[in-house]
Amino acid sequence: GIDGFIKFWNLETHELLARLLFYENDWVAVSKDGLFDGSPGGLEKLFFINGLQTIELSQLKDRFYEPGLLSKIIGLSQEPLRKSQGLNNIKPYPKINIDDPAKNDKGLLAIHLTNDGGGIGKVKILINGKEASADARGDGFNPDADKTTILFRLANHPYLKQNELNQIEVQASNKDGYLTSKPKKFYYLTSGTKQADTRLHAVIIGTSDYNGTELDLRFASKD
């Protein structure tokens, strides 16, 4: 195609089934319903447009990522495609505003969330790349709230490096959990006695999609 995509058509129905695009050593395939597959580098180069909002493929991985997509579409694999609700029904994640924790004498991180139509889902907090909270909302939270403020104690957290700039990231998902915001990043300077460095080395391998239909894991690709 003139847009650079290799296109796969059903010659009987004249239906466009999928598009395939190569970037040097990377590639990405997208179905007519928005399901996608590709190399890690390829998935970083494409994005969806939702109104005036750009959405990276990784933000929709839970809903639209389909390993072996092209093989399933053209019949080389007998595994069924996952059912997709389509790209015309994406509900946005909440808007995020963060107060400067350096101005808070109690060392509290104040996260202000505004429901933008998709509800307020899980709120993840990372400190220097480590997950400090998988969901900072707490128990009994109402995901349909119009607005909310979450307080997270940042001072003296074990993931902070003393006397250094620490990178803090906050991500929020919509109520249904399939669309996650880009990380809201800022830096936090701590002062005090420098702690001894702790290092952890691990090799973690997960497989989501096995051959056949008897065994498939839901969370390995997320990990």
Side-chain angles (χ1 to χ4, degrees), residues 96-101 104 107-113 148-154 170 186:
I96 306 173
N97 287 293
I98 301 172
D99 292 345
D100 185 353
N104 188 311
L108 295 176
L109 176 63
I111 304 169
H112 305 288
L113 302 168
T148 191
T149 296
I150 294 174
L151 298 177
F152 178 80
R153 183 163 182 78
L154 193 59
V170 177
F186 64 96

Side-chain angles (χ1 to χ4, degrees), residues 31-45:
S31 77
K32 62 183 178 62
D33 297 320
L35 297 175
F36 61 83
D37 187 18
S39 63
L43 296 180
E44 291 178 356
K45 293 181 175 67

Side-chain angles (χ1 to χ4, degrees), residues 16-161:
L16 177 63
L17 300 177
R19 294 176 294 161
L20 175 66
L21 186 65
F22 287 95
Y23 301 95
E24 298 178 351
N25 296 323
D26 290 308
W27 62 275
V28 64
V30 183
S31 77
K32 62 183 178 62
D33 297 320
L35 297 175
F36 61 83
D37 187 18
S39 63
L43 296 180
E44 291 178 356
K45 293 181 175 67
L46 283 188
F47 53 88
F48 292 112
I49 298 292
N50 186 32
L52 297 177
Q53 185 182 42
T54 59
I55 302 174
E56 296 176 0
L57 297 193
S58 60
Q59 292 177 258
L60 283 168
K61 188 172 184 180
D62 290 350
R63 187 171 183 177
F64 290 101
Y65 177 54
E66 182 73 13
L69 171 67
L70 203 54
S71 295
K72 296 174 184 179
I73 287 178
I74 65 178
L76 295 179
S77 171
Q78 299 305 311
E79 290 190 49
L81 293 169
R82 75 161 75 186
K83 293 182 180 179
S84 168
Q85 298 178 28
L87 292 173
N88 59 350
N89 192 33
I90 294 177
K91 296 184 179 179
Y93 47 77
K95 295 178 180 177
I96 306 173
N97 287 293
I98 301 172
D99 292 345
D100 185 353
K103 298 179 181 180
N104 188 311
D105 57 3
K106 295 182 179 179
L108 295 176
L109 176 63
I111 304 169
H112 305 288
L113 302 168
T114 303
N115 188 339
D116 202 26
I120 300 175
K122 291 183 178 180
V123 179
K124 182 188 295 186
I125 300 174
L126 292 91
I127 301 176
N128 295 320
K130 300 177 182 179
E131 186 177 279
S133 177
D135 187 3
R137 295 177 302 170
D139 297 332
F141 180 82
N142 177 16
D144 294 312
D146 292 332
K147 294 182 179 181
T148 191
T149 296
I150 294 174
L151 298 177
F152 178 80
R153 183 163 182 78
L154 193 59
N156 301 318
H157 194 281
Y159 292 170
L160 291 174
K161 299 177 182 179

Side-chain angles (χ1 to χ4, degrees), residues 99-102 128 154 160 164-169 184-190:
D99 292 345
D100 185 353
N128 295 320
L154 193 59
L160 291 174
E164 294 184 31
L165 279 176
N166 295 270
Q167 179 176 275
I168 314 298
E169 299 174 68
K184 191 93 171 182
K185 299 180 182 181
F186 64 96
Y187 292 88
Y188 179 63
L189 179 62
T190 61

Side-chain angles (χ1 to χ4, degrees), residues 147-221:
K147 294 182 179 181
T148 191
T149 296
I150 294 174
L151 298 177
F152 178 80
R153 183 163 182 78
L154 193 59
N156 301 318
H157 194 281
Y159 292 170
L160 291 174
K161 299 177 182 179
Q162 299 300 318
N163 301 310
E164 294 184 31
L165 279 176
N166 295 270
Q167 179 176 275
I168 314 298
E169 299 174 68
V170 177
Q171 288 181 282
S173 64
N174 62 4
K175 180 176 69 172
D176 295 329
Y178 61 79
L179 179 61
T180 303
S181 69
K182 297 178 183 178
K184 191 93 171 182
K185 299 180 182 181
F186 64 96
Y187 292 88
Y188 179 63
L189 179 62
T190 61
S191 60
T193 303
K194 185 175 178 62
Q195 299 175 346
D197 290 336
T198 301
R199 296 189 179 188
L200 171 67
H201 300 271
V203 177
I204 303 171
I205 302 173
T207 300
S208 297
D209 196 87
Y210 290 83
N211 289 331
T213 58
E214 295 182 359
L215 178 62
D216 284 309
L217 305 182
R218 295 181 57 192
F219 298 107
S221 62

